[in-house]
Amino acid sequence: MGANIKAIRARIKSVESTRHITKAMELVASSKIKRATAKMEQSRFYRSVMLDAFADLSSAKTMYSKARDASLPVLYIIVAGDRGLAGGYNNNIFRSSAVMMKENDIVLPVGKRAVDYYSGKKRTVVTKEFTSCEDMTSDGCSRAAYLIRDMYDRGEIGGVRLISTEFVSMLTQNPNMTHLLPLQKEGADETKPSVSVEYEPSAEAVLAALIPEYIAGVLYSSVCESFASELAARRTAMDAATKNADEMLDNLSLKYNQARQSAITQEITEIVAGANA
Amino acid sequence: MNTFKLQIAAPDGMRYDGEAVQISVRGIEGELAVLAGHIPFVTALKSGECRVYTEDNIIRRASCSGGMLMVSKDCVRLLSSDFTWEKE
């Protein structure tokens, strides 16, 4: 019986220390989440205006709106988290990207987890520079955008797509794909008469100057949104883990008390039996 | 004075959202200004000063690093990766 009590005590200790970790991670995620969601909200307007403007620009016949040879690899920018223990957050991204990507497509991972994941795969990785979602600045996004624009201009890639997580609510986050290049009209909204817009000096010149800004802007807002999603996912996961730990502790301490009580009872029985003899 | 709706946004937030009389920026082809009733057009911007003339005759200056200016029928929108007002 003594060994059983000892084992339960060790178990309780280990569950307790795990609970400390999960609770701490939950608190860290909760404290960061407010700032992250505020940042995400702020970047949303920029993103929506940018996407609208470029959906209009796609009607201008330029090298950026023409579909390219389907055999060319497509560049996927994949935004995942910096750390694990966020429920299915990272895996959801990797799973949905695996479904979308063709054999020869290449990736530009953003976030530590994404970089690690694709380093172990047989895919061409453009750069392993962007290892932090949390510290991704608009400068970093610009650098990535120029890199991508140059590859596109050289004709190395047939398209650019972005896979990131959409923040639906604190409890729901979904993997989401955005077409960046070639430019295309959102949906088949042909009924909407295209407003004639002038380009100064020309559509080509304007687009050439704006493509990096466009990629950087959309990337930045996606990184903000993904980071907020990561924190929300982590908070939910860690909250559940803490609750599970509490439940386990309850069960274990019940078992522990039972074992202790039965040991005492047995001892008394032995003493009484000894005294009677 | 005729005014138009002006929205200025950077990736980390809105910088201006309201009425304005005139906006002057540095386009890729040179300095340009937009008044109310301008035809719809789009241009890319160079790094430089941006001036917003508000309704109450105040000129607000800002540094603007590139970006785009979109003039549509009902609204003028400026997007820039870095847009900072003077004295901020």
Side-chain angles (χ1 to χ4, degrees), chain A residues 112-157:
Chain A
K112 181 104 187 15
R113 286 278 147 165
V115 172
D116 290 350
Y117 181 82
Y118 286 103
S119 300
K121 295 255 176 255
K122 268 197 248 155
R123 262 187 207 286
T124 315
V125 174
V126 178
T127 170
K128 294 178 185 169
E129 189 192 340
F130 305 106
T131 50
S132 172
C133 237
E134 189 175 1
D135 303 328
M136 191 82 176
T137 56
S138 29
D139 276 353
C141 293
S142 290
R143 242 178 311 132
Y146 277 101
L147 193 79
I148 294 164
R149 202 269 314 256
D150 290 345
M151 286 180 79
Y152 196 81
D153 283 356
R154 285 198 299 266
E156 290 168 19
I157 45 178

